[in-house]
Amino acid sequence: MSIKTDIDRKKFPEHVAIIMDGNGRWAQERSLPRSAGHKQGVMALRDTVRAAVELGIKVLTVYSFSSENWSRPQAEIKYLFKLLERFVRQDVAELHSHSIRIKIIGQRSNLTRKLVEMLEYCEDLTKDNTGMTLVVAFNYGARNEMTSAVKALAQRVADGELNPNEITEQHIAAHMGTSGIPDPDLLIRTSGEQRLSNFLLWQCAYTEFVFVREHWPAFNKDVLESTIEEFRTRDRRYGGLATSTG
Ligand code: FPP
């Protein structure tokens, strides 16, 4: 029985986050330039968005450019920015027609005005959509996100709006880029690496991690389904006892 038709959706991940890793290695294995890996990576992203909609995933978050990626060669950075611009130009209308809501998280202060306007356009166009939410982490770093949240809360304290003793986890969550979005249930990282790389550190407190060997450009619906099957075997205890414990 396919996941989609399986009526037991209790153990189905509503929010799936993906660290799309291995574009460079995929290209290298084929004696292609790294840019070819990124280009194929965009195609894998398109297919994955479609598959996620078909499977009934409510939120899909993808890590498309980290704040650490600035240390890459200029030409590669330029190419990744070009791909984002192209993605916005070519794909947003289709995403919108499927009622997908787009949210972009990450720092904007060091992006060009033109790019910020493009990102705002995507968010604004799709803000009332009620289908899947696609969160694109671009120029994103979790420590930076948490630092911004701390600064904002400190400012509210300095302004006399908030008593430090009354600060709760909800206040912190409300100052994250992901405010209003439930935490990821499942985090997938491709390409065999097993680390978080400064991605959603706050939000992944109780997330299940699944690491797959495939490089991102080779990711597809079958691999996504296999990670969901793996997720369904996990016993999520949130610090409590196993469900089988009597
Ligand atoms: C990791 O592969 C991938 C990235 C740093 C960028 C991910 C970007 C895309 C899939 C395309 C762009 C998407 C949008 C929305 C614009 P890597 O380069 O680190 O591969 P390697 O570890 O094998 O070198």
Side-chain angles (χ1 to χ4, degrees), residues 16-21 23 45 60-69 80 105-106 134-143 187-189 195-201 216:
V16 176
I18 308 182
I19 301 178
M20 307 182 289
D21 197 9
N23 292 352
L45 177 58
L60 177 70
T61 299
V62 292
Y63 204 3
S64 79
F65 190 85
S66 84
S67 39
E68 286 74 32
N69 287 153
L80 286 167
I105 58 171
L134 174 64
V135 182
V136 180
F138 189 84
N139 197 22
Y140 174 87
R143 287 185 172 181
L187 178 128
I188 304 163
R189 183 169 185 149
R195 56 178 171 269
L196 261 181
S197 301
N198 205 13
F199 189 46
L200 304 177
L201 298 183
W216 174 251

Side-chain angles (χ1 to χ4, degrees), residues 20-26 34 37-38 41-42 45 62-65 69 72 76 80 83-85 87 136 138 191 193 215-216:
M20 307 182 289
D21 197 9
N23 292 352
R25 276 162 284 174
W26 180 90
R34 292 177 59 82
H38 294 315
V42 175
L45 177 58
V62 292
Y63 204 3
S64 79
F65 190 85
N69 287 153
R72 294 188 178 209
E76 183 166 346
L80 286 167
L83 285 182
L84 176 73
E85 285 196 25
F87 185 76
V136 180
F138 189 84
S191 221
E193 310 293 348
H215 297 312
W216 174 251

